[in-house]
Amino acid sequence: MAGIAILLDLYKKKPSFCSPQSFHSSGLFSASAAAASAAATVAAGTPFASRFLFGYPKVSHCDAGAVLPEHYISNTQRSSEDFFKNDALKYSVKEYKIELKPLFSAFELRPFALTTLRSFLLFYLPLLEPSLNIEEDEEDFPQDSPEERRVDLVVPLKKSVKQIIRETTVVTTRRILERLAVIYVSQRMAWKLLKDVPKSAVRKSQRGMPATVYFFRVSRTTFRGHLLGVTAAWIVQTGIEIYRSFSRITNSDESNEANVTVRAKLLGKKISGITIRCGASLIFASIGAGICATLFRPSVGQWIGCAAGDLAGPIIVSVCLEKVFHVYL
């Protein structure tokens, strides 16, 4: 009766003590408590006068964990290790590896050679057209004197040198913007801005996306990857126009307020035109990269589409503004 009284007292203090869940899953009702209550019950059931005959009942305690086999414990530990290992692999934190190019990468041998060749071809190839036309029309028209045929090679040389300086300045400005992005924006956003877009297009093509989703993803990635380059070009072109405007104001004989106002308005129009052209270049480059990457090979198609959109975007926007709104950029 004493053991039953103890259990009833515990049940009144904590009703959940005798629930089946607490008996089997919690550690409140241990083996020692059960043995003690059983001993108290047996002792209470034995009359006091006959205790000298039966004596006090002996209760033996046992440890349930001691009878578990060793392979059971090792298997439990192994299964828990595998579970946590798989869970860590499933929910691992993504690492964003950012690889910055050298600050003066535009002056390396191969990029600088390509920039020089492109600049010279851009300004010297148009000089071949008049000579070809003269050779075709020699029979119909009299031959001009050698002095009139002489072509000025100094002006294209100056333009080529200026173009080389402009392109190397744009690339160096982009490298500076990349370092500023790594410092001042989040690591995830910096990784997206500095991502290798052709390689990203190849990885996206291996995921089995629908064509529309793939086009949208490649266009968005190209927009982010091309943003710093377009921003660098905008900064350089705007700086050149500001320098030209101030140099004309300071070198002009008329330094009145009207001249300054006209120059300021002209500068605002030029900066607006540069902004529109750069925005069109960024948008059309993203669209062209998505289209060409979807239709052709991902890496080469993305590069070709980005270059074509970069060149065609400002031209298309300028023609549309001239035809529709009569605005000349």
Side-chain angles (χ1 to χ4, degrees):
M1 294 298 292
I4 297 173
I6 292 172
L7 292 176
L8 291 175
D9 188 33
L10 290 174
Y11 180 75
K12 289 179 181 179
K13 291 181 180 179
K14 192 172 183 181
S16 62
F17 178 79
C18 294
S19 61
Q21 184 177 359
S22 63
F23 274 91
H24 294 284
S25 60
S26 65
L28 294 176
F29 191 81
S30 61
S32 300
S37 62
T41 305
V42 173
T46 306
F48 180 80
S50 62
R51 284 183 184 177
F52 72 96
L53 297 176
F54 298 100
Y56 291 93
K58 297 180 180 180
V59 180
S60 61
H61 299 272
C62 65
D63 189 3
V67 298
L68 294 176
E70 294 182 358
H71 66 85
Y72 177 79
I73 300 175
S74 62
N75 291 336
T76 305
Q77 292 177 352
R78 191 181 300 111
S79 62
S80 62
E81 290 177 359
D82 294 339
F83 174 77
F84 286 113
K85 187 184 295 183
N86 296 331
D87 193 64
L89 291 174
K90 184 177 180 181
Y91 299 102
S92 61
V93 180
K94 186 175 182 180
E95 296 181 359
Y96 300 98
K97 296 181 180 179
I98 300 174
E99 297 179 358
L100 289 174
K101 296 182 180 179
L103 181 61
F104 299 103
S105 61
F107 298 96
E108 294 179 356
L109 181 59
R110 184 183 176 187
F112 190 76
L114 291 175
T115 302
T116 305
L117 180 62
R118 184 170 58 250
S119 300
F120 278 104
L121 291 177
L122 180 63
F123 293 103
Y124 276 99
L125 280 179
L127 300 178
L128 302 177
E129 296 180 359
S131 61
L132 294 175
N133 294 331
I134 290 173
E135 290 177 0
E136 292 176 357
D137 299 338
E138 274 183 354
E139 297 179 358
D140 299 333
F141 297 94
Q143 186 175 2
D144 297 333
S145 60
E147 295 180 355
E148 295 179 356
R149 281 191 178 187
R150 186 175 299 173
V151 179
D152 190 6
L153 299 177
V154 179
V155 175
L157 179 62
K158 291 181 179 179
K159 291 182 178 180
S160 299
V161 172
K162 290 180 180 179
Q163 181 67 20
I164 292 170
I165 295 173
R166 184 183 291 110
E167 291 192 12
T168 52
T169 305
V170 169
V171 175
T172 306
T173 306
R174 177 173 181 171
R175 299 292 174 255
I176 295 173
L177 292 177
E178 290 175 355
R179 281 154 175 79
L180 292 176
V182 171
I183 295 172
Y184 291 104
V185 302
S186 62
Q187 187 179 9
R188 182 170 177 266
M189 181 56 66
W191 176 71
K192 290 182 178 181
L193 293 175
L194 275 66
K195 186 187 294 186
D196 191 347
V197 183
K199 292 182 179 179
S200 177
V202 174
R203 290 194 298 268
K204 286 179 174 58
S205 65
Q206 297 174 354
R207 298 175 186 174
M209 302 179 183
T212 54
V213 177
Y214 179 72
F215 164 77
F216 174 75
R217 296 285 180 85
V218 173
S219 299
R220 184 179 61 181
T221 305
T222 306
F223 183 89
R224 293 169 177 169
H226 199 52
L227 180 62
L228 293 180
V230 174
T231 306
W234 182 86
I235 292 173
V236 172
Q237 294 179 19
T238 304
I240 291 172
E241 293 298 333
I242 292 173
Y243 171 76
R244 288 177 179 175
S245 179
F246 277 99
S247 63
R248 288 170 184 172
I249 292 173
T250 54
N251 294 330
S252 62
D253 296 333
E254 299 178 358
S255 59
N256 52 6
E257 295 181 357
N259 187 21
V260 174
T261 305
V262 172
R263 293 291 183 185
K265 290 182 179 180
L266 184 61
L267 177 62
K269 289 181 180 180
K270 288 184 178 180
I271 293 176
S272 301
I274 292 171
T275 305
I276 293 173
R277 286 195 296 269
C278 290
S281 175
L282 180 61
I283 294 172
F284 278 84
S286 304
I287 296 173
I291 293 173
C292 293
T294 305
L295 298 178
F296 308 105
R297 294 183 62 182
S299 59
V300 179
Q302 190 277 334
W303 183 81
I304 294 175
C306 182
D310 191 9
L311 294 175
I315 299 174
I316 294 173
V317 172
S318 300
V319 171
C320 292
L321 290 177
E322 290 177 6
K323 297 294 183 182
V324 179
F325 300 102
H326 303 286
V327 177
Y328 299 93
L329 297 179

